[in-house]
Amino acid sequence: MEDFKRLCDDVYAKGMKIIIDCVYNHTSPDSVLAKEHQDWFYHKKDGSFGNKVGDWSDVIDLDYSHRDLWKYQAETLVMWAKYVDGFRCDVTPMVPVEFWKYAREEVAKVRPGAIWLAESGAPDFIRFLRSKGAVGGSDSELYQAFDMTYDYDIYPDLRAALLGQKDLTTWLA
């Protein structure tokens, strides 16, 4: 932690800001959290740990139906917010928007104006999640808690404009 604090001091001395990557949808199956709070995780029908996206075999999903998990996760963000300017949050669509709104309020107590960037998902991925009964927040929903998203909702139109297949004013409309 002392090395991280020195890094922050050096970055700030150069006039830059720091955001860190946060993964709040899943963890490694051998994480301390999985050992200490097994009930905070998604479990398959056979009771074993699992995840909602089958090809992510190296991770297990957290289960945000547990309010104690919300508090724990928000506390970790608050701790980091004492040192950094913001967060790039991984796989945000699979975590309830209400959690992100709560976490943002908690972080604002120690870091008003923190930067929040959501790694959002393409519309097809959101539809897939929802078809499986999983949480799947769209870009427009994530803007309730985040300053920026990856804006997958508009990507097809932007790509077409950049390739000259659509007029840029169509994308801007």
Side-chain angles (χ1 to χ4, degrees):
M1 193 63 188
E2 291 307 313
D3 288 342
F4 184 77
K5 290 176 186 177
R6 276 193 299 281
L7 172 67
C8 291
D9 290 342
D10 290 347
V11 168
Y12 290 135
K14 294 180 184 338
M16 295 185 287
K17 293 188 181 280
I18 300 170
I19 66 171
I20 59 173
D21 193 53
C22 298
V23 182
Y24 280 58
N25 173 64
H26 54 265
T27 71
S28 168
D30 62 354
S31 71
V32 171
L33 202 58
K35 288 178 178 68
E36 294 179 0
H37 296 284
Q38 294 182 8
D39 57 318
W40 289 358
F41 287 85
Y42 171 79
H43 295 270
K44 297 185 280 188
K45 288 180 182 178
D46 68 4
S48 64
F49 287 139
N51 63 66
K52 296 170 203 83
V53 180
D55 61 348
W56 295 352
S57 60
D58 59 335
V59 298
I60 56 176
D61 286 354
L62 290 156
D63 177 354
Y64 277 84
S65 68
H66 301 277
R67 295 302 274 200
D68 288 342
L69 173 62
W70 289 39
K71 185 176 181 215
Y72 174 87
Q73 296 288 64
E75 286 172 358
T76 63
L77 287 164
V78 167
M79 186 276 299
W80 288 112
K82 294 174 185 171
Y83 307 102
V84 302
D85 299 291
F87 307 99
R88 179 264 183 200
C89 301
D90 190 70
V91 196
T92 55
M94 295 184 70
V95 176
V97 172
E98 291 305 315
F99 164 76
W100 293 120
K101 290 165 55 176
Y102 164 72
R104 186 175 181 136
E105 289 173 11
E106 294 301 303
V107 165
K109 295 174 184 174
V110 297
R111 180 68 70 169
I115 301 162
W116 290 84
L117 169 61
E119 181 207 24
S120 53
D124 287 347
F125 181 61
I126 303 307
R127 283 190 289 277
F128 165 76
L129 292 173
R130 291 176 179 179
S131 76
K132 301 293 181 196
V135 171
S138 68
D139 284 342
S140 58
E141 291 167 324
L142 292 172
Y143 273 114
Q144 295 175 64
F146 288 88
D147 302 310
M148 300 172 279
T149 75
Y150 282 24
D151 284 335
Y152 283 110
D153 289 356
I154 61 168
Y155 177 71
D157 290 330
L158 173 61
R159 185 173 190 281
L162 294 174
L163 292 172
Q165 298 166 347
K166 280 188 174 181
D167 187 273
L168 185 59
T169 57
T170 303
W171 176 73
L172 295 172

